[in-house]
């Protein structure tokens, strides 16, 4: 079959189309097209629910699902986005997107669709992916199409209105460490047919319907898989779902509360489970040699110390990225956050809270990272970034993009989870935390660039203060 996205009629003359409509000419294979994208071509589509336009040429309709005899599922949405109600015959609205989503998501055990056809590109599709060239995906395209793609999880999504070819790297449809692995999605944008720049306008491929595939084969993740470009949309949807679930019944997920009931597991309804007693504090291990960060060590550069608590201290970074780049360090010898005793964790949390309040009073937010790899003493690097120059999503995206360029996979972990739940003592890892509580995590399995954290911080600062690395 031939699937057509974008404006099917384009600059076609009425005389040329009349030959197909009357049967003088015939499309050689079954051809399925989307509807009008402007007022001039509305007249070619007599029935909004779909109809045969000529022999072997079928208009799919305004929106819906086409199911082939093999079980292949093709979701489609005709027209361009409009915020007005009622919409014109060549537009779609949020109501159209909601109704299409509802018809599919209500299906038992819905996993996704095989193919999604739209004319506009989805907004933000370039996030975390390879460059789309001159197309700015943060400004062009449709946010409603992004919402649809995030929900329907198509294995292939085709679009065309930007008149450019762009084959995005595949992206995942699940959250690692939180959800069961799912298939990846591929977005492919095609140029207009016969364009003078010779950009690709035809994409040939074979596909086995999802319903016929072995589940293990379906969810295999290619090496170049990236984060989901619509992650922000998904996050908002999960929060809304969580609120609805919370109204219906108490959540029963367990997590570690770092502010209360130290050493006990508690559920999110605040009730303690069992009669377990808080674990006795363990003495920190002793360093095997001279340590630059144990406060009692003569190697510590004490003129950089800002504040000393009971279990932790705060110090300016030697060679910091900014004048107010600081470190949170345990007074005793601990290698990583996962090795800390409960009372040290509690004081680290207090320092984080105090730094957040301090930096916010200066119009800044902080980025914190830890590299537990080839390091002897825990160092929590805290770097402030101006609030008015970037959001937490911007910062996360910057770290993820830098990680992907170095083939490092940074995964987002639940905001209410403690890092001890995803890493055991002695496990090498790299960890980023924002002052909003959002976290990124990478489990180091072989080698790791020792300057990645500092370089990531430089990248964030360089992007959001319009400075080059050489100036910094």
């Amino acid at each position: 079959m031939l699937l057509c996205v974008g404006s099917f009629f384009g600059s076609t003359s009425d005389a040329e189309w009349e030959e197909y409509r009357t049967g003088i000419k015939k499309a050689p294979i079954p051809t399925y097209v989307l509807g009008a994208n402007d007022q001039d071509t509305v007249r070619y589509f007599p029935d909004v629910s779909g109809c045969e336009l000529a022999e072997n040429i079928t208009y799919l309709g305004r929106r819906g699902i086409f199911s082939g005899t093999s079980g292949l599922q093709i979701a489609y949405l005709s027209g361009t986005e409009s915020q007005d109600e009622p919409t014109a015959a060549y537009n779609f609205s949020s109501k159209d997107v909601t109704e299409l989503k509802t018809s599919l998501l209500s299906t038992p055990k819905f996993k996704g669709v095989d193919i999604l056809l739209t004319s506009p590109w989805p907004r933000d599709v370039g996030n975390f992916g390879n460059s789309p060239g001159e197309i700015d995906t943060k400004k062009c395209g449709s946010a409603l199409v992004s919402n649809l793609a995030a929900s329907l999880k198509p294995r292939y999504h085709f679009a065309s209105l930007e008149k450019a070819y762009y084959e995005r790297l595949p992206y995942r449809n699940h959250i690692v460490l939180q959800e069961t692995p799912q298939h990846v999605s591929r977005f492919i944008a095609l140029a207009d047919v016969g364009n003078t720049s010779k950009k690709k306008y035809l994409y040939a491929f074979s596909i086995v319907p999802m319903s016929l595939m072995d589940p293990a084969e379906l969810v295999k993740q290619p090496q170049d898989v990236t984060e989901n470009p619509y992650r922000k949309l998904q996050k908002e949807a999960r929060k809304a779902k969580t609120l609805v679930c919370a109204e219906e019944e108490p959540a029963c997920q367990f997590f570690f509360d770092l502010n209360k009931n130290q050493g006990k597991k508690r559920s999110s309804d605040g009730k303690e489970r069992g009669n377990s007693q808080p674990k006795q504090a363990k003495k920190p291990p002793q360093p095997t040699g001279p340590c630059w960060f144990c406060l009692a060590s003569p190697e510590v550069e004490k003129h950089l110390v800002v504040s000393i608590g009971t279990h932790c201290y705060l110090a300016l970074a030697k060679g910091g990225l900014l004048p107010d780049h600081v470190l949170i360090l345990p007074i005793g010898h601990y290698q990583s956050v996962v090795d800390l005793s409960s009372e040290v964790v509690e004081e680290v949390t207090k320092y984080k809270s105090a730094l957040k309040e301090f930096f916010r009073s200066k119009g800044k937010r902080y980025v914190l990272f830890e590299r537990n790899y080839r390091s002897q003493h825990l160092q929590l690097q805290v770097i402030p970034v101006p609030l008015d120059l970037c959001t937490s999503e911007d910062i996360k995206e910057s770290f993820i993009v830098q990680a992907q360029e170095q083939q490092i996979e940074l995964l987002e972990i639940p905001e209410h989870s403690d890092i001890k739940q995803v890493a055991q003592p002695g496990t090498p890892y790299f960890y980023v935390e924002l002052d909003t509580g959002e976290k990124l995590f990478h489990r180091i399995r072989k080698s790791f660039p020792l300057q990645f954290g500092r370089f990531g911080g430089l990248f964030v600062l360089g992007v959001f203060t319009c400075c080059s690395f050489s100036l910094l």
Side-chain angles (χ1 to χ4, degrees):
M1 64 170 65
L2 174 65
L3 303 172
C4 300
V5 292
S7 298
F8 177 68
F9 287 95
S11 57
T12 302
S13 67
D14 287 343
E16 183 184 1
W17 173 240
E18 191 67 15
E19 292 182 315
Y20 284 93
R21 195 184 66 80
T22 57
I24 297 174
K25 288 184 177 180
K26 175 186 173 182
I29 59 174
T31 302
Y32 299 89
V33 308
L34 295 179
N37 292 309
D38 54 57
Q39 185 62 52
D40 294 338
T41 54
V42 168
R43 57 193 174 90
Y44 291 109
F45 304 94
D47 187 348
V48 295
S49 60
C51 59
E52 185 176 76
L53 301 180
E55 187 175 359
N56 259 358
I57 300 178
T58 302
Y59 163 45
L60 289 168
R62 186 184 184 96
R63 65 175 183 274
I65 304 296
F66 174 84
S67 297
T69 55
S70 64
L72 189 75
Q73 273 201 321
I74 303 172
Y76 56 88
L77 182 67
S78 292
T80 57
E81 179 178 333
S82 173
Q83 300 298 323
D84 300 325
E85 287 285 358
T87 56
Y90 55 89
N91 291 139
F92 60 82
S93 67
S94 58
K95 182 180 178 182
D96 293 303
V97 170
T98 299
E99 290 183 5
L100 179 53
K101 285 167 53 178
T102 302
S103 66
L104 280 164
L105 298 180
S106 59
T107 306
K109 298 182 179 179
F110 174 75
K111 294 180 180 178
V113 296
D114 292 299
I115 298 171
L116 172 62
L117 305 177
T118 64
S119 288
W121 286 28
R123 181 77 56 84
D124 291 330
V125 69
N127 287 356
F128 313 124
N130 48 316
S131 172
E134 297 178 357
I135 306 299
D136 186 350
T137 60
K138 291 184 180 297
K139 295 179 179 179
C140 79
S142 164
L144 288 177
V145 171
S146 300
N147 184 295
L148 184 65
S151 299
L152 299 194
K153 303 174 184 177
R155 293 166 65 199
Y156 287 87
H157 179 184
F158 296 95
S160 177
L161 279 190
E162 299 302 326
K163 298 184 179 181
Y165 174 70
Y166 174 47
E167 185 169 356
R168 191 200 184 282
L169 291 173
Y171 61 86
R172 61 171 64 91
N173 283 299
H174 65 279
I175 303 174
V176 180
L177 302 177
Q178 294 187 60
E179 298 175 336
T180 303
Q182 299 182 44
H183 61 274
V184 301
S185 291
R186 291 172 167 84
F187 172 75
I188 296 145
L190 298 169
D192 46 333
V193 176
N195 66 87
T196 56
S197 302
K198 296 184 179 181
K199 296 176 182 176
K200 189 172 180 178
Y201 61 82
L202 186 67
Y203 185 89
F205 71 112
S206 60
I207 182 172
V208 176
M210 188 185 303
S211 58
L212 301 181
M213 288 188 68
D214 176 72
E217 189 68 25
L218 177 65
V219 301
K220 278 187 176 179
Q221 305 290 297
Q223 288 187 344
D224 56 353
V225 66
T226 73
E227 284 291 328
N228 193 304
Y230 320 120
R231 187 177 61 182
K232 188 174 181 180
L233 283 174
Q234 292 178 313
K235 188 174 180 180
E236 290 170 353
R238 286 195 304 274
K239 282 186 177 179
K241 185 177 179 181
T242 301
L243 289 173
V244 172
C245 292
E247 291 175 1
E248 293 175 352
E249 59 180 337
C252 57
Q253 179 187 1
F254 288 94
F255 62 90
F256 287 95
D257 183 352
L258 301 183
N259 296 316
K260 301 176 183 178
N261 305 319
Q262 290 297 332
K264 295 183 181 180
K265 231 178 194 181
R266 73 176 188 97
S267 66
S268 54
D269 61 8
K271 296 178 180 178
E272 296 176 14
R273 309 292 180 181
N275 297 316
S276 59
Q277 296 298 318
K279 294 180 179 180
Q280 295 297 318
K282 294 182 179 179
K283 292 184 179 180
Q286 296 304 307
T288 54
C291 179
W292 292 93
F293 299 102
C294 286
L295 192 59
S297 171
E299 281 79 11
V300 170
E301 300 197 38
K302 294 182 172 58
H303 66 284
L304 296 175
V305 174
V306 176
S307 166
I308 301 176
T310 307
H311 305 286
C312 303
Y313 71 99
L314 193 71
L316 292 173
K318 185 178 181 180
L321 301 179
L322 291 169
D324 44 3
H325 174 178
V326 295
L327 308 178
I328 303 175
L329 306 118
I331 291 173
H333 189 77
Y334 292 92
Q335 183 173 333
S336 70
V337 163
V338 297
D339 295 309
L340 296 180
S341 60
S342 58
E343 65 268 20
V344 183
V345 168
E346 184 177 4
E347 193 161 285
V348 167
T349 303
K350 289 180 179 179
Y351 266 115
K352 288 180 187 177
S353 179
L355 285 171
K356 177 180 178 179
E357 186 177 349
F358 168 72
F359 286 132
R360 289 297 174 101
S361 72
K362 303 295 182 182
K364 301 176 183 180
R365 68 171 81 245
Y366 75 65
V367 185
L368 178 151
F369 66 85
E370 176 199 359
R371 172 178 54 82
N372 181 31
Y373 175 73
R374 294 190 180 179
S375 58
Q376 190 179 15
H377 191 107
L378 166 63
Q379 305 162 51
L380 293 177
Q381 309 271 347
V382 185
I383 305 169
V385 182
L387 272 171
D388 58 348
L389 293 181
C390 59
T391 65
S392 59
E393 285 297 320
D394 292 329
I395 295 172
K396 284 193 294 183
E397 182 175 344
S398 297
F399 268 98
I400 290 171
V401 167
Q402 283 296 300
Q404 288 177 346
E405 288 182 0
Q406 299 192 49
Q407 298 183 322
I408 296 168
E409 188 175 38
L410 273 179
L411 306 173
E412 188 164 4
I413 61 177
E415 292 181 29
H416 298 296
S417 292
D418 178 20
I419 192 171
K420 293 183 179 183
Q421 294 173 287
V422 295
Q424 297 296 319
T427 302
Y429 62 83
F430 178 79
Y431 167 63
V432 180
E433 181 179 325
L434 307 186
D435 65 1
T436 55
E438 297 164 285
K439 307 178 184 75
L440 300 173
F441 176 83
H442 170 70
R443 189 185 303 278
I444 300 172
R445 301 190 184 280
K446 293 183 179 179
S447 60
F448 186 81
L450 298 182
Q451 295 299 319
F452 176 76
R454 291 179 62 83
F455 184 76
L458 278 169
F459 182 77
V460 171
L461 293 170
V463 168
F464 298 115
T465 60
C466 301
C467 296
S468 67
F469 296 140
S470 58
L471 289 175
L472 288 171

